[in-house]
Amino acid sequence: MVRFHDALDIATEFAGERLGGHDAVYLIRDLVGRVSIAVNVSGEALADKATLSRELHARLGAFGPGPEEAVQSRDELLLPEEIFQSREAIALQEEPVLVYLVDRLMNNQDWLRRPLKEEAPLPTAVAFSLKGGVGRSTTFAAWAHHLAAQGHRVLAVDLDLEAPGLQSLLLRQIPEDPRRDRRPDYGVVDWLVEGRVGQADEDLFEDMLGSVELPSGTPGEIRVIPAFGKETRGYVAKLGRAYLPVMGSDGVERGFAEAILELLNAGRTRAEPFDVALLDARAGMHDIGAAAVTRLGAHAFLFARDDPQTWTAYEHLFEHLRWSPAVEYGMPDRDLRWRMSMVGAMAGGTERDFENLRDRSYAAWQLLYDEEQEPSPGTPEESDESMPHWPLPVYAAEELRGASFHDPDNGPAPVVLEGAYRDFFDRAGSRLLGNSGSDE
């Protein structure tokens, strides 16, 4: 019996055996998982097409598209340019024939798309985790305050649209006292739906900015764009359209990643521009996380508790990400992996705790680091603190459970923050901002 995960291997092997005389072949996997092969030649040049198609279909079992559709020439495709000129095509192998994959997915396509920018419009950090409850939002709320205390103008954005958390940590919400209620009128979900019709502009951006109360004398500031604001209406209806891509008048598709990039641009070009942005993405392998981690030119901080379920989930993600066109052999400076850092969430404070965390992170990253027969001078070493697998610890602190950061008189005590984030703030700041983000 052929399973879903077998079908690509079968089609790739078939291409090498039977279609090696062509420059390249394209595997097309549909929404169900059925696989067909397209060859960029005329029907006349693929004279034995009928025989090839029946044979491949038989090999693929339930994942064959049909005896007449398994192998197709250019002439048989309705829109051949969508296959042979696809920017979504992934190179699976080079020998004995070049094989590309065009994968039809309902969601999660951004994981394997090229970044829109190699660098975000302003230094941008993304908080990402595969599981909730790991302190991701709390860490970024605390980091926002730390950066403001250093004099930065911080833009914090709650991208967890289905379970917002960052906004409640940073913005005072008092509906019965509008003067003390720090929430703005609108939020991210409004930016997304208004942008679909060309109305995501600087006026809307300013109406999305909530303000955070800071201790007297703080040299910087924090402004927050929540998932929704005081005047947001029809939230569920908007949420159902938030990830919908639309075609612009210029013929370019505009999806979630493009909309968030425009939001960051608005933060950079306003009269009083922000100099750092913190984005709190949704937990799990969701479209939000995919776009934020891979497409914005941001630095992604990947939160992981040291447990088997978390590392298994990251192994699945890394196995998928290795096909990204932004992951290149040799890890050049533009490589996506340099814009990723593991975070040891709720870490223990002993040396042994850290060694276990580092060992498991390094093991998971072997699925995303380059495959090499023999170690080379550039091979990532487990002890190399500059590599993405080296975890930045956030230490467990019971006092942070249920903590809020919207009241300067009732926030976590400095000794608690120092205990939990003494290593994270410095190292994360250096990776995001260079020396200006470090306390050293």
Side-chain angles (χ1 to χ4, degrees):
M1 179 181 292
V2 176
R3 298 294 186 187
F4 176 93
H5 54 269
D6 300 319
L8 280 186
D9 292 339
I10 291 171
T12 301
E13 182 180 357
F14 181 88
E17 291 176 3
R18 304 300 306 276
L19 296 166
H22 298 279
D23 292 336
V25 300
Y26 289 73
L27 309 188
I28 306 167
R29 182 161 60 182
D30 69 13
L31 292 175
V32 177
R34 292 182 290 252
V35 179
S36 61
I37 291 180
V39 186
N40 193 14
V41 297
S42 67
E44 292 180 357
L46 200 61
D48 54 349
K49 178 262 180 189
T51 301
L52 293 169
S53 188
R54 287 193 298 270
E55 182 180 343
L56 177 58
H57 173 72
R59 290 195 194 185
L60 288 170
F63 290 97
E68 296 181 1
E69 292 81 26
V71 177
Q72 301 179 77
S73 68
R74 178 179 61 236
D75 299 340
E76 296 168 285
L77 298 173
L78 181 62
L79 296 170
E81 65 276 7
E82 289 194 359
I83 303 300
F84 303 123
Q85 299 174 28
S86 173
R87 298 185 63 187
E88 314 293 336
I90 304 163
L92 296 183
Q93 73 171 31
E94 295 183 359
E95 300 290 343
V97 63
L98 185 57
V99 177
Y100 291 99
L101 169 65
V102 178
D103 212 2
R104 306 299 197 191
L105 301 173
M106 285 293 292
N107 51 34
N108 283 331
Q109 295 189 62
D110 277 334
W111 287 117
L112 299 185
R113 284 178 170 159
R114 295 185 182 278
L116 296 170
K117 294 283 186 180
E118 287 190 11
E119 291 188 12
L122 69 163
T124 301
V126 171
F128 173 80
S129 65
L130 287 170
K131 296 171 62 178
V134 297
R136 187 192 70 240
S137 302
T138 302
T139 297
F140 265 41
W143 195 15
H145 276 269
H146 181 79
L147 290 168
Q150 292 181 317
H152 292 286
R153 298 173 59 85
V154 182
L155 173 65
V157 185
D158 196 336
L159 292 182
D160 193 350
L161 303 185
E162 297 180 31
L166 188 64
Q167 64 187 63
S168 61
L169 290 169
L170 288 172
L171 293 177
R172 188 191 293 273
Q173 178 176 333
I174 311 177
E176 64 276 11
D177 188 351
R179 291 176 301 175
R180 298 177 62 210
D181 194 320
R182 293 302 186 105
R183 293 173 300 158
D185 287 342
Y186 301 107
V188 174
V189 73
D190 300 289
W191 179 267
L192 294 172
V193 297
E194 296 296 331
R196 299 298 189 266
V197 294
Q199 296 187 152
D201 55 22
E202 60 184 27
D203 291 334
L204 177 60
F205 183 85
E206 295 299 322
D207 287 340
M208 292 160 51
L209 295 174
S211 59
V212 178
E213 294 181 67
L214 297 173
S216 177
T218 300
E221 71 165 334
I222 306 171
R223 304 295 296 276
V224 179
I225 298 181
F228 57 88
K230 293 183 293 186
E231 300 301 321
T232 299
R233 301 291 183 270
Y235 187 72
V236 175
K238 290 177 178 178
L239 191 61
R241 294 164 171 81
Y243 315 116
L244 178 69
V246 297
M247 196 67 67
S249 57
D250 54 1
V252 177
E253 184 179 276
R254 184 181 186 275
F256 182 85
E258 288 81 3
I260 300 305
L261 186 64
E262 291 172 6
L263 184 148
L264 293 174
N265 271 316
R268 179 183 63 84
T269 58
R270 66 193 294 260
E272 296 182 332
F274 296 102
D275 55 43
V276 62
L278 305 182
L279 313 183
D280 186 23
R282 186 185 176 196
M285 297 185 203
H286 191 273
D287 287 352
I288 292 175
V293 170
T294 67
R295 306 207 66 207
L296 303 178
H299 195 102
F301 293 87
L302 313 181
F303 284 68
R305 290 188 64 174
D306 191 10
D307 59 53
Q309 298 89 345
T310 295
W311 293 121
T312 298
Y314 271 112
E315 286 169 0
H316 287 308
L317 177 59
F318 291 163
E319 185 178 32
H320 187 64
L321 269 178
R322 69 184 307 146
W323 298 110
S324 168
V327 171
E328 303 179 46
Y329 187 80
M331 286 184 70
D333 290 345
R334 63 178 176 272
D335 193 284
L336 173 66
R337 291 167 290 186
W338 290 120
R339 299 199 307 274
M340 302 167 75
S341 296
M342 294 305 301
V343 176
M346 300 180 175
T350 70
E351 183 176 343
R352 185 58 186 163
D353 289 331
F354 181 79
E355 289 175 354
N356 288 336
L357 178 66
R358 183 195 63 202
D359 292 349
R360 289 168 185 141
S361 178
Y362 184 69
W365 270 83
Q366 296 312 299
L367 290 169
L368 192 51
Y369 285 145
D370 297 341
E371 288 186 3
E372 297 178 310
Q373 297 298 323
E374 297 289 340
S376 67
T379 300
E381 296 182 1
E382 184 173 353
S383 59
D384 190 342
E385 298 184 22
S386 69
M387 298 304 294
H389 73 267
W390 186 272
L392 313 183
V394 171
Y395 300 106
E398 188 65 30
E399 297 89 341
L400 289 174
R401 291 185 180 274
S404 66
F405 297 81
H406 54 64
D407 184 349
D409 297 324
N410 293 295
V415 66
V416 173
L417 297 176
E418 170 66 17
Y421 302 115
R422 59 184 180 272
D423 292 329
F424 177 82
F425 285 160
D426 185 52
R427 291 177 178 268
S430 294
R431 295 193 181 186
L432 180 63
L433 299 166
N435 291 334
S436 65
S438 170
D439 290 333
E440 296 179 358

